[in-house]
Amino acid sequence: MWENVFFYKDILFNGWFYISLLELVFVVIILIGRLRMMRRKNAQKREILSSNNIDYDNIIKSSFNSQSLYDSLKKKCHPDRFLDKEKNIIATGIFAKIVENKYNYQELLSVKKEAESKLNIKI
């Protein structure tokens, strides 16, 4: 019995015990902070996904149709195709919008309408 008492007494007066106990406290504090941060991020993701502002139809169409529309628009609306200075400037602006909205099908459709009306071309 006395051997156990002396063993615990040696542990309590050993400095390494307190250092390891301090490390354990720091690890627990870091883990709690990390869990809180993960919960906050998940709450933000749920808030974004729960909003009704997401246009899923545009996402699907952009995934499958935007590349072909982009290719046809960049060929037809390239500024080098227009020798007239006025149309060249308009085509440069339209081409910049095409490149900017490469993966957005809805915006590419509106740029297509704009190009057809301003440049008098058929796409």
Side-chain angles (χ1 to χ4, degrees):
M1 177 173 155
W2 289 107
E3 296 88 22
N4 291 339
V5 172
F6 291 126
F7 176 73
Y8 292 124
K9 184 180 175 185
D10 289 341
I11 289 176
L12 291 177
F13 289 115
N14 191 349
W16 292 110
F17 171 74
Y18 293 108
I19 291 172
S20 63
L21 190 62
L22 188 63
E23 286 178 348
L24 177 67
V25 169
F26 282 138
V27 167
V28 168
I29 290 171
I30 290 171
L31 286 176
I32 289 172
R34 181 70 178 151
L35 286 173
R36 284 183 179 172
M37 186 172 58
M38 287 173 55
R39 284 184 186 158
R40 209 173 305 130
K41 283 184 179 180
N42 287 337
Q44 289 172 348
K45 287 179 185 176
R46 281 193 301 270
E47 182 180 328
I48 290 171
L49 291 176
S50 68
S51 68
N52 295 330
N53 300 349
I54 300 172
D55 185 10
Y56 292 107
D57 188 44
N58 187 33
I59 292 172
I60 299 298
K61 286 182 180 177
S62 295
S63 299
F64 295 105
N65 302 331
S66 65
Q67 188 64 40
S68 62
L69 182 58
Y70 169 77
D71 289 339
S72 65
L73 284 173
K74 78 176 181 185
K75 287 177 189 173
K76 296 280 185 166
C77 299
H78 198 278
D80 292 342
R81 292 179 52 116
F82 302 97
L83 300 177
D84 184 24
K85 199 70 159 164
E86 223 176 272
K87 283 192 175 185
N88 190 321
I89 293 171
I90 294 170
T92 303
I94 290 174
F95 192 76
K97 289 180 187 177
I98 292 169
V99 172
E100 181 181 324
N101 297 304
K102 181 178 182 177
Y103 300 108
N104 190 343
Y105 185 74
Q106 198 70 28
E107 288 296 319
L108 286 176
L109 285 176
S110 66
V111 171
K112 176 183 173 185
K113 289 178 186 176
E114 180 184 352
E116 287 176 344
S117 66
K118 289 185 177 179
L119 297 175
N120 298 326
I121 56 174
K122 183 72 176 159
I123 300 175

PDB file of all heavy atoms in Angstrom, residues 98-112:
ATOM      1  N   ILE A  98     -18.188  38.027 -73.632  1.00  0.00           N
ATOM      2  CA  ILE A  98     -18.229  36.592 -73.936  1.00  0.00           C
ATOM      3  C   ILE A  98     -17.181  35.852 -73.127  1.00  0.00           C
ATOM      4  O   ILE A  98     -17.451  34.826 -72.508  1.00  0.00           O
ATOM      5  CB  ILE A  98     -18.041  36.354 -75.448  1.00  0.00           C
ATOM      6  CG1 ILE A  98     -19.239  36.877 -76.231  1.00  0.00           C
ATOM      7  CG2 ILE A  98     -17.813  34.879 -75.745  1.00  0.00           C
ATOM      8  CD1 ILE A  98     -19.022  36.927 -77.725  1.00  0.00           C
ATOM      9  N   VAL A  99     -15.970  36.388 -73.127  1.00  0.00           N
ATOM     10  CA  VAL A  99     -14.876  35.731 -72.395  1.00  0.00           C
ATOM     11  C   VAL A  99     -15.137  35.767 -70.893  1.00  0.00           C
ATOM     12  O   VAL A  99     -14.869  34.797 -70.181  1.00  0.00           O
ATOM     13  CB  VAL A  99     -13.527  36.399 -72.741  1.00  0.00           C
ATOM     14  CG1 VAL A  99     -12.408  35.876 -71.865  1.00  0.00           C
ATOM     15  CG2 VAL A  99     -13.200  36.178 -74.212  1.00  0.00           C
ATOM     16  N   GLU A 100     -15.694  36.861 -70.402  1.00  0.00           N
ATOM     17  CA  GLU A 100     -15.979  37.000 -68.972  1.00  0.00           C
ATOM     18  C   GLU A 100     -17.042  36.010 -68.501  1.00  0.00           C
ATOM     19  O   GLU A 100     -16.977  35.492 -67.387  1.00  0.00           O
ATOM     20  CB  GLU A 100     -16.449  38.426 -68.703  1.00  0.00           C
ATOM     21  CG  GLU A 100     -16.753  38.729 -67.259  1.00  0.00           C
ATOM     22  CD  GLU A 100     -17.228  40.160 -67.097  1.00  0.00           C
ATOM     23  OE1 GLU A 100     -16.736  41.039 -67.813  1.00  0.00           O
ATOM     24  OE2 GLU A 100     -18.120  40.372 -66.255  1.00  0.00           O
ATOM     25  N   ASN A 101     -18.012  35.719 -69.346  1.00  0.00           N
ATOM     26  CA  ASN A 101     -19.123  34.837 -68.981  1.00  0.00           C
ATOM     27  C   ASN A 101     -19.033  33.487 -69.668  1.00  0.00           C
ATOM     28  O   ASN A 101     -20.048  32.904 -70.052  1.00  0.00           O
ATOM     29  CB  ASN A 101     -20.452  35.510 -69.333  1.00  0.00           C
ATOM     30  CG  ASN A 101     -20.664  36.764 -68.548  1.00  0.00           C
ATOM     31  OD1 ASN A 101     -20.632  36.739 -67.331  1.00  0.00           O
ATOM     32  ND2 ASN A 101     -20.847  37.874 -69.240  1.00  0.00           N
ATOM     33  N   LYS A 102     -17.844  32.972 -69.791  1.00  0.00           N
ATOM     34  CA  LYS A 102     -17.609  31.721 -70.522  1.00  0.00           C
ATOM     35  C   LYS A 102     -18.440  30.558 -69.984  1.00  0.00           C
ATOM     36  O   LYS A 102     -18.907  29.710 -70.736  1.00  0.00           O
ATOM     37  CB  LYS A 102     -16.124  31.375 -70.466  1.00  0.00           C
ATOM     38  CG  LYS A 102     -15.751  30.118 -71.197  1.00  0.00           C
ATOM     39  CD  LYS A 102     -14.264  29.876 -71.134  1.00  0.00           C
ATOM     40  CE  LYS A 102     -13.897  28.630 -71.908  1.00  0.00           C
ATOM     41  NZ  LYS A 102     -12.457  28.407 -71.920  1.00  0.00           N
ATOM     42  N   TYR A 103     -18.649  30.495 -68.696  1.00  0.00           N
ATOM     43  CA  TYR A 103     -19.334  29.355 -68.083  1.00  0.00           C
ATOM     44  C   TYR A 103     -20.748  29.688 -67.604  1.00  0.00           C
ATOM     45  O   TYR A 103     -21.338  28.914 -66.863  1.00  0.00           O
ATOM     46  CB  TYR A 103     -18.513  28.824 -66.916  1.00  0.00           C
ATOM     47  CG  TYR A 103     -17.142  28.363 -67.332  1.00  0.00           C
ATOM     48  CD1 TYR A 103     -16.010  29.085 -66.991  1.00  0.00           C
ATOM     49  CD2 TYR A 103     -16.986  27.217 -68.093  1.00  0.00           C
ATOM     50  CE1 TYR A 103     -14.765  28.661 -67.382  1.00  0.00           C
ATOM     51  CE2 TYR A 103     -15.742  26.790 -68.496  1.00  0.00           C
ATOM     52  CZ  TYR A 103     -14.631  27.514 -68.136  1.00  0.00           C
ATOM     53  OH  TYR A 103     -13.394  27.106 -68.534  1.00  0.00           O
ATOM     54  N   ASN A 104     -21.291  30.821 -68.018  1.00  0.00           N
ATOM     55  CA  ASN A 104     -22.630  31.231 -67.588  1.00  0.00           C
ATOM     56  C   ASN A 104     -23.546  31.263 -68.805  1.00  0.00           C
ATOM     57  O   ASN A 104     -23.522  32.195 -69.604  1.00  0.00           O
ATOM     58  CB  ASN A 104     -22.574  32.603 -66.916  1.00  0.00           C
ATOM     59  CG  ASN A 104     -23.862  32.978 -66.255  1.00  0.00           C
ATOM     60  OD1 ASN A 104     -24.913  32.397 -66.516  1.00  0.00           O
ATOM     61  ND2 ASN A 104     -23.799  33.971 -65.389  1.00  0.00           N
ATOM     62  N   TYR A 105     -24.364  30.250 -68.946  1.00  0.00           N
ATOM     63  CA  TYR A 105     -25.204  30.089 -70.132  1.00  0.00           C
ATOM     64  C   TYR A 105     -26.206  31.230 -70.280  1.00  0.00           C
ATOM     65  O   TYR A 105     -26.408  31.739 -71.385  1.00  0.00           O
ATOM     66  CB  TYR A 105     -25.932  28.743 -70.052  1.00  0.00           C
ATOM     67  CG  TYR A 105     -26.732  28.410 -71.284  1.00  0.00           C
ATOM     68  CD1 TYR A 105     -26.097  28.025 -72.451  1.00  0.00           C
ATOM     69  CD2 TYR A 105     -28.125  28.480 -71.275  1.00  0.00           C
ATOM     70  CE1 TYR A 105     -26.822  27.720 -73.583  1.00  0.00           C
ATOM     71  CE2 TYR A 105     -28.853  28.179 -72.400  1.00  0.00           C
ATOM     72  CZ  TYR A 105     -28.200  27.792 -73.554  1.00  0.00           C
ATOM     73  OH  TYR A 105     -28.912  27.501 -74.684  1.00  0.00           O
ATOM     74  N   GLN A 106     -26.819  31.637 -69.178  1.00  0.00           N
ATOM     75  CA  GLN A 106     -27.829  32.696 -69.227  1.00  0.00           C
ATOM     76  C   GLN A 106     -27.226  34.002 -69.734  1.00  0.00           C
ATOM     77  O   GLN A 106     -27.812  34.677 -70.577  1.00  0.00           O
ATOM     78  CB  GLN A 106     -28.437  32.883 -67.830  1.00  0.00           C
ATOM     79  CG  GLN A 106     -29.744  33.605 -67.814  1.00  0.00           C
ATOM     80  CD  GLN A 106     -30.860  32.763 -68.400  1.00  0.00           C
ATOM     81  OE1 GLN A 106     -30.819  31.547 -68.360  1.00  0.00           O
ATOM     82  NE2 GLN A 106     -31.844  33.432 -68.943  1.00  0.00           N
ATOM     83  N   GLU A 107     -26.064  34.353 -69.250  1.00  0.00           N
ATOM     84  CA  GLU A 107     -25.401  35.580 -69.692  1.00  0.00           C
ATOM     85  C   GLU A 107     -24.947  35.469 -71.143  1.00  0.00           C
ATOM     86  O   GLU A 107     -24.987  36.438 -71.891  1.00  0.00           O
ATOM     87  CB  GLU A 107     -24.207  35.900 -68.792  1.00  0.00           C
ATOM     88  CG  GLU A 107     -24.583  36.388 -67.425  1.00  0.00           C
ATOM     89  CD  GLU A 107     -25.333  37.710 -67.460  1.00  0.00           C
ATOM     90  OE1 GLU A 107     -24.953  38.595 -68.247  1.00  0.00           O
ATOM     91  OE2 GLU A 107     -26.312  37.854 -66.711  1.00  0.00           O
ATOM     92  N   LEU A 108     -24.495  34.284 -71.547  1.00  0.00           N
ATOM     93  CA  LEU A 108     -24.095  34.097 -72.944  1.00  0.00           C
ATOM     94  C   LEU A 108     -25.277  34.285 -73.886  1.00  0.00           C
ATOM     95  O   LEU A 108     -25.126  34.820 -74.991  1.00  0.00           O
ATOM     96  CB  LEU A 108     -23.461  32.724 -73.147  1.00  0.00           C
ATOM     97  CG  LEU A 108     -22.039  32.539 -72.605  1.00  0.00           C
ATOM     98  CD1 LEU A 108     -21.582  31.099 -72.794  1.00  0.00           C
ATOM     99  CD2 LEU A 108     -21.075  33.492 -73.261  1.00  0.00           C
ATOM    100  N   LEU A 109     -26.472  33.858 -73.465  1.00  0.00           N
ATOM    101  CA  LEU A 109     -27.659  34.082 -74.295  1.00  0.00           C
ATOM    102  C   LEU A 109     -27.971  35.565 -74.444  1.00  0.00           C
ATOM    103  O   LEU A 109     -28.332  36.025 -75.535  1.00  0.00           O
ATOM    104  CB  LEU A 109     -28.866  33.348 -73.700  1.00  0.00           C
ATOM    105  CG  LEU A 109     -28.907  31.838 -73.890  1.00  0.00           C
ATOM    106  CD1 LEU A 109     -30.112  31.248 -73.172  1.00  0.00           C
ATOM    107  CD2 LEU A 109     -28.927  31.472 -75.353  1.00  0.00           C
ATOM    108  N   SER A 110     -27.818  36.308 -73.353  1.00  0.00           N
ATOM    109  CA  SER A 110     -28.079  37.751 -73.454  1.00  0.00           C
ATOM    110  C   SER A 110     -27.015  38.439 -74.302  1.00  0.00           C
ATOM    111  O   SER A 110     -27.322  39.360 -75.072  1.00  0.00           O
ATOM    112  CB  SER A 110     -28.158  38.385 -72.065  1.00  0.00           C
ATOM    113  OG  SER A 110     -26.917  38.320 -71.418  1.00  0.00           O
ATOM    114  N   VAL A 111     -25.766  37.982 -74.231  1.00  0.00           N
ATOM    115  CA  VAL A 111     -24.708  38.536 -75.076  1.00  0.00           C
ATOM    116  C   VAL A 111     -24.968  38.186 -76.541  1.00  0.00           C
ATOM    117  O   VAL A 111     -24.720  38.990 -77.444  1.00  0.00           O
ATOM    118  CB  VAL A 111     -23.321  38.036 -74.614  1.00  0.00           C
ATOM    119  CG1 VAL A 111     -22.233  38.421 -75.592  1.00  0.00           C
ATOM    120  CG2 VAL A 111     -22.995  38.572 -73.233  1.00  0.00           C
ATOM    121  N   LYS A 112     -25.524  36.993 -76.782  1.00  0.00           N
ATOM    122  CA  LYS A 112     -25.857  36.581 -78.154  1.00  0.00           C
ATOM    123  C   LYS A 112     -26.910  37.522 -78.741  1.00  0.00           C
ATOM    124  O   LYS A 112     -26.779  37.977 -79.892  1.00  0.00           O
ATOM    125  CB  LYS A 112     -26.376  35.147 -78.142  1.00  0.00           C
ATOM    126  CG  LYS A 112     -26.833  34.642 -79.486  1.00  0.00           C
ATOM    127  CD  LYS A 112     -27.408  33.241 -79.372  1.00  0.00           C
ATOM    128  CE  LYS A 112     -28.021  32.805 -80.691  1.00  0.00           C
ATOM    129  NZ  LYS A 112     -28.678  31.513 -80.586  1.00  0.00           N
TER     130      LYS A 112
END
